[in-house]
Amino acid sequence: MYYDVIVIGGGPAGILAAGAAGARGRKVLLIEKNEKLGKKLFITGKGRCNVTNAAEMDEFMSHIPKNSKFLYSAFRALSNNDLVGILNDMGLKTKVERGGRVFPESDKSSDVLKALQKYLDKNNVNVMLHSEVKEVRVKDNKIQGVILTDGKAIDCESAIICTGGISYPQTGSTGDGLEFAKAIGHTITDLFPSLIPLIVKEEYIKELQGLSLKNVTIKIVVDNKSIYDDFGEMLFTHYGLSGPIILSASFYISDHLKKKKNIKLAIDLKPALSEEDLDKRVLKDFNLNLNKQFKNALDALLPQKLIPVIIKLSKIDENKEVNQISKEERKQLVHLLKNFEFTIIGTRPIAEAIVTSGGVSLKEISPKTMESKVIQGLYFAGEVMDLDAFTGGYNLQIAFSTGYAAGSNA
């Protein structure tokens, strides 16, 4: 059996790679080990599928903190607007939400997959499900084909590895492509979890489980040096911190954790107010509740779930009447509200990461074509490469664009 192009992995990168190659008249085979295509895509955006971000390209690039220059050619080949155009042509209506996030109008990831299936059908791509590649065959530094786990050999002129990283292994991202690349001479950079919830030391985190905060600012401090800050939404869990701004912050933390550095995360619960203005606000609240106990005087200031923890950390007696609270105690409370601090001691396992940071070294891949500089006829696309970005649709666009670039050249 012979194909011009074999694409290994039926996620967003693989689908665009196969479709782009098919559009050039190439005989294409897309091999996927799961029972359906796009299994990880199906669960992205909480099942709504945040396909891309509508940001202008300069702003878009600012959300890719590492190796963004590698992507210039790929984004020129398929921009965020080009991707939306393809999806619209395949019958998918899209909408733009807060932060430029682009979703299907139906809020169903299944509709995105239907549109992508139409794209494959339109470009005459052959799809082989329930089929796993065991080995990528190479001879004289040139691609020969693949061997499946059932022993079947399939020959090809070009192969595109689009197997993802090692996060969410239940969706099929088990690192196969990284092993294939390593076996045929490629360098794999260190793998870290990226966009992943953080584990904290403080036991009282359990009391805050399930509490979501909007419009707060976080600051990451490593060995007393501030390295990152962000504004937005976050969530407390039984083990630590999650939510959009925490996931983005995790990108900057993994390496410091590995080096066992002292990492603190401070939450400013009232970022719109300076300490001076917040002190006036607290004083105003206290004046309205002069004869109440401290524990009953914070309802207008804080979510109910947060009050017992803040009281404990403020070291003000919860039963103390508000009119007895000293100016110094009030100032300490204000400082706490502007600097609600946690000690970061780890991340959740890499299997739970939204994306894997690290992968096939970009030094060994052409940024224009995605072709290997080591093996002729071998291409890479998506998360299998050392590329990742912040949350908000940026990672999926990287997968789609690099897939399209690879398929346009393979």
Side-chain angles (χ1 to χ4, degrees), residues 297-322:
L298 298 173
D299 290 2
L301 194 65
L302 295 169
Q304 201 62 40
K305 212 166 194 177
L306 198 51
I307 292 172
V309 173
I310 291 294
I311 288 174
K312 198 183 301 176
L313 295 175
S314 74
K315 296 179 180 168
I316 302 171
D317 182 349
E318 64 174 10
N319 297 312
K320 195 173 192 176
E321 287 191 2
V322 168

Side-chain angles (χ1 to χ4, degrees), residues 59-329:
E59 188 192 337
F60 201 105
M61 284 296 193
S62 72
H63 289 81
I64 306 169
K66 184 181 71 171
N67 298 327
S68 59
K69 287 181 181 176
F70 179 88
L71 290 161
Y72 281 127
S73 294
F75 285 160
R76 269 198 296 270
L78 185 86
S79 69
N80 45 4
N81 293 327
D82 295 332
L83 172 66
V84 170
I86 287 175
L87 294 172
N88 291 166
D89 288 346
M90 295 302 116
L92 183 79
K93 291 181 179 177
T94 55
K95 59 181 176 179
V96 180
E97 295 190 359
R98 186 179 48 79
R101 290 167 164 82
V102 179
F103 289 92
E105 219 171 67
S106 65
D107 285 330
K108 292 178 181 176
S109 56
S110 56
D111 287 341
V112 177
L113 286 164
K114 283 175 191 170
L116 292 172
Q117 182 64 58
K118 279 186 188 175
Y119 179 65
L120 293 175
D121 294 342
K122 178 189 174 187
N123 294 309
N124 303 310
V125 173
N126 299 280
V127 178
M128 186 184 281
L129 300 174
H130 293 290
S131 302
E132 190 170 348
V133 173
K134 177 186 172 186
E135 181 187 338
V136 174
R137 287 172 48 240
V138 171
K139 185 179 179 184
D140 298 327
N141 290 331
K142 190 177 187 307
I143 278 291
Q144 299 294 299
V146 301
I147 298 174
L148 305 183
T149 49
D150 63 5
K152 184 187 291 181
I154 308 174
D155 296 332
C156 65
E157 183 183 328
S158 302
I160 309 175
I161 296 178
C162 309
T163 50
I166 55 173
S167 57
Y168 283 94
Q170 68 271 29
T171 64
S173 299
T174 52
D176 308 4
L178 297 168
E179 292 302 320
F180 300 150
K182 192 175 178 182
I184 53 183
H186 270 280
T187 305
I188 309 300
T189 64
D190 289 345
L191 304 176
F192 297 103
S194 189
L195 304 186
I196 190 163
L198 303 173
I199 300 170
V200 305
K201 180 181 179 182
E202 288 74 15
E203 281 296 313
Y204 53 77
I205 194 69
K206 293 182 176 68
E207 298 174 48
L208 301 173
Q209 180 181 353
L211 174 64
S212 177
L213 298 178
K214 292 182 179 180
N215 304 321
V216 295
T217 298
I218 60 165
K219 180 171 67 176
I220 305 289
V221 178
V222 177
D223 291 346
N224 299 314
K225 182 183 176 186
S226 178
I227 65 159
Y228 180 77
D229 61 78
D230 201 1
F231 171 84
E233 295 178 35
M234 60 166 292
L235 172 72
F236 293 100
T237 67
H238 66 284
Y239 53 76
L241 311 170
S242 189
I245 58 175
I246 299 297
L247 297 178
S248 291
S250 70
F251 176 90
Y252 293 94
I253 287 174
S254 292
D255 198 39
H256 294 298
L257 282 169
K258 194 177 176 185
K259 294 171 182 172
K260 301 198 182 317
K261 293 194 174 181
N262 179 32
I263 305 169
K264 300 283 186 182
L265 186 147
I267 305 167
D268 183 346
L269 296 166
K270 302 291 177 182
L273 301 174
S274 65
E275 285 211 17
E276 187 182 346
D277 289 338
L278 182 56
D279 185 45
K280 289 176 186 173
R281 161 73 198 275
V282 171
L283 186 59
K284 182 183 172 186
D285 282 10
F286 280 6
N287 286 333
L288 293 171
N289 296 280
L290 280 176
N291 298 315
K292 284 187 178 180
Q293 292 177 317
F294 178 47
K295 65 184 176 185
N296 297 321
L298 298 173
D299 290 2
L301 194 65
L302 295 169
Q304 201 62 40
K305 212 166 194 177
L306 198 51
I307 292 172
V309 173
I310 291 294
I311 288 174
K312 198 183 301 176
L313 295 175
S314 74
K315 296 179 180 168
I316 302 171
D317 182 349
E318 64 174 10
N319 297 312
K320 195 173 192 176
E321 287 191 2
V322 168
N323 58 27
Q324 298 297 312
I325 292 174
S326 69
K327 181 180 178 181
E328 189 54 43
E329 286 175 322

Side-chain angles (χ1 to χ4, degrees), residues 335-353:
H335 183 74
L336 173 61
L337 296 176
K338 298 287 287 181
N339 296 275
F340 185 28
E341 197 173 79
F342 291 90
T343 308
I344 308 300
I345 57 172
T347 65
R348 294 295 288 173
I350 195 167
E352 295 179 26

